[in-house]
Amino acid sequence: MEEYKKQFIEFMVESGVLKFGEFTLKSGRRSPFFMNAGAYVTGTQLRKLGGFYARAIHDRFGLDFDVLFGPAYKGIPLSVATSMAISELYGVDVRYCSNRKEAKDHGGDRGILLGSELKDGDRVMMIEDVTTSGKSVAETYPIITGQADISVVGMMVSLNRMEKGQTEKSALSEITDTYGFPADAIVSMADVFEYLGNSQAGSGMLTDDRKAAIREYYAQYGAEEYKGLFA
């Protein structure tokens, strides 16, 4: 596992973003872990977070794109922090763009988007915190493709939950199947399970009971492409 992935796992835990226990998700599933990107609240945290996203996007997709799009609301600070980090780390300027929940009908920046406009020919990278069902992509993809003749070249989230989406496949795989662009994550839950389960960083967090709960959860909800990883 790359060093920055280990550092990112520690960063999620230290920031109170990744927690273990018993949580009820929007889907109704009872999960033994929960990730809340809204817990990144300081300038230092956002600066670090943008750096992790920038590194992951660079390594997985390269930087041959024009716009970094983050859907409202949590995607707004993600797109801003990551576009700044890409400029800092790699000397590449990409524009940031997000959507509004309601279109603005006054002033000089009317419309559904904030940040950069989308122009014909733009290559767009999407960025999110985490996706379980792919619902936000289903909502925002028609919005951005309806603004101009753009192409989405990839999507990066922070954590691949590796569980079933609407089908037996994971939400990230379903996004690729549905929209035709690759989707990836900085780290997966398998990375988290491996690292915290076998390092001092996870001491006291992944107890035997919590490991057993995670294994049981994935036995029931694990996506077909990841079967056996938590056995």
Side-chain angles (χ1 to χ4, degrees):
M1 187 189 309
E2 294 93 329
E3 187 63 30
Y4 79 90
K5 292 188 176 184
K6 298 176 183 177
Q7 293 172 358
F8 183 64
I9 293 169
E10 293 180 12
F11 175 60
M12 285 194 292
V13 172
E14 291 166 0
S15 301
V17 168
L18 180 63
K19 296 183 177 181
F20 298 92
E22 193 172 289
F23 308 91
T24 300
L25 308 180
K26 285 184 180 179
S27 63
R29 297 175 185 175
R30 303 218 18 118
S31 174
F33 63 92
F34 186 71
M35 189 206 140
N36 174 27
Y40 296 121
V41 293
T42 70
T44 298
Q45 288 173 333
L46 289 172
R47 183 185 179 91
K48 287 182 178 179
L49 181 62
F52 284 120
Y53 268 101
R55 175 71 184 275
I57 291 171
H58 172 271
D59 289 1
R60 173 64 177 84
F61 299 112
L63 300 176
D64 186 20
F65 59 91
D66 307 292
V67 180
L68 191 61
F69 175 82
Y73 289 105
K74 290 180 181 176
I76 297 174
L78 290 180
S79 60
V80 172
T82 304
S83 62
M84 292 173 67
I86 289 173
S87 174
E88 259 185 37
L89 295 174
Y90 302 107
V92 175
D93 254 344
V94 296
R95 292 142 41 211
Y96 97 89
C97 176
S98 295
N99 65 297
R100 295 183 170 98
K101 289 293 186 179
E102 296 179 357
K104 186 178 179 182
D105 61 2
H106 61 279
D109 58 342
R110 299 180 183 184
I112 197 69
L113 300 181
L114 56 84
S116 173
E117 294 181 358
L118 293 176
K119 302 180 290 189
D120 287 350
D122 276 344
R123 293 164 56 82
V124 178
M125 177 67 60
M126 297 184 74
I127 183 172
E128 279 209 65
D129 55 345
V130 65
T131 182
T132 302
S133 66
K135 181 180 177 182
S136 64
V137 179
E139 292 174 348
T140 57
Y141 184 80
I143 293 174
I144 60 175
T145 55
Q147 302 302 307
D149 183 17
I150 60 103
S151 59
V152 177
V153 297
M155 177 179 176
M156 182 63 69
V157 302
S158 59
L159 177 68
N160 180 359
R161 287 186 60 99
M162 305 179 79
E163 61 190 82
K164 299 174 186 177
Q166 302 299 316
T167 66
E168 292 298 307
K169 291 186 175 182
S170 70
L172 293 185
S173 293
E174 288 176 347
I175 287 169
T176 298
D177 290 346
T178 301
Y179 302 102
F181 56 81
D184 208 343
I186 301 175
V187 295
S188 69
M189 268 309 295
D191 294 329
V192 172
F193 191 80
E194 174 191 348
Y195 182 60
L196 293 183
N198 297 287
S199 74
Q200 196 64 32
S203 178
M205 292 202 63
L206 277 190
T207 62
D208 289 343
D209 286 348
R210 286 176 176 173
K211 289 180 182 179
I214 290 172
R215 291 190 179 100
E216 183 178 340
Y217 184 79
Y218 280 100
Q220 183 174 3
Y221 295 118
E224 65 178 17
E225 64 264 42
Y226 304 121
K227 288 291 187 185
L229 285 180
F230 298 90

